[in-house]
Amino acid sequence: MRSQKIKIRNVETDKSKLVRTLRVKPTPLLFFILFCGIGIIFFVPYLIILGIGLVMAAGFALIVLPDRILCEFTKDYLVLYNHPNRDDCTLVYWEDIVSWQYEYHGACDQLVLILVDGSTERQDVYSKRVLKKYLDMYAPGKEIKTTRMRKR
């Protein structure tokens, strides 16, 4: 098994191999909301309160809330940045993944990777859509379907 825990400074920095980076903050969506709010303020004067609210919420999220990288996808491996020590990360090669599962939780969801040696890697994530696309592309047929339970 080639997957291992390494220091972030030892991760290959060749950006041409990087396919996608998942971050905590949805920055493009926040900028879209910010510009929509500005547009509402200037072009729809009877909704000025809504525009100011959108600008304030998006500005607060962009300026004050923290942002960090959750994971990076390349053609050869996946890098998970979910360690208590912020200097560490896990390099997971696609061939080392036996199965993966997306688990729904109240605070934030988790991606669970089961590796060849029997170990389990857990990553906090916030959206299944992008994860599923790339995991199906590079680790096809390895998803364990999760059923959501309804509270009655």
Side-chain angles (χ1 to χ4, degrees), residues 4 36 48 67:
Q4 58 189 326
C36 285
I48 195 165
D67 191 20

Side-chain angles (χ1 to χ4, degrees), residues 67-95:
D67 191 20
R68 65 183 173 95
I69 297 174
L70 290 175
C71 60
E72 292 179 335
F73 294 92
T74 68
K75 293 180 181 175
D76 300 323
Y77 53 83
L78 168 68
V79 183
L80 302 173
Y81 296 95
N82 64 334
H83 292 277
N85 182 358
R86 296 284 185 191
D87 294 333
D88 294 337
C89 66
T90 302
L91 192 70
V92 179
Y93 285 88
W94 298 116
E95 62 267 8

Side-chain angles (χ1 to χ4, degrees), residues 2 5 10-11 20 51 60 77 86-87 95 123 125 129-130 133 139 146:
R2 297 178 1 186
K5 179 179 169 184
N10 295 332
V11 174
R20 179 71 190 253
F60 176 78
Y77 53 83
R86 296 284 185 191
D87 294 333
E95 62 267 8
Q123 172 71 42
V125 290
R129 185 179 51 87
V130 175
K133 175 185 174 185
T146 305

Side-chain angles (χ1 to χ4, degrees), residues 26-36 58 62:
T27 307
L29 177 64
L30 292 172
F31 274 114
F32 176 74
I33 292 170
L34 180 72
F35 291 130
C36 285
L62 285 167

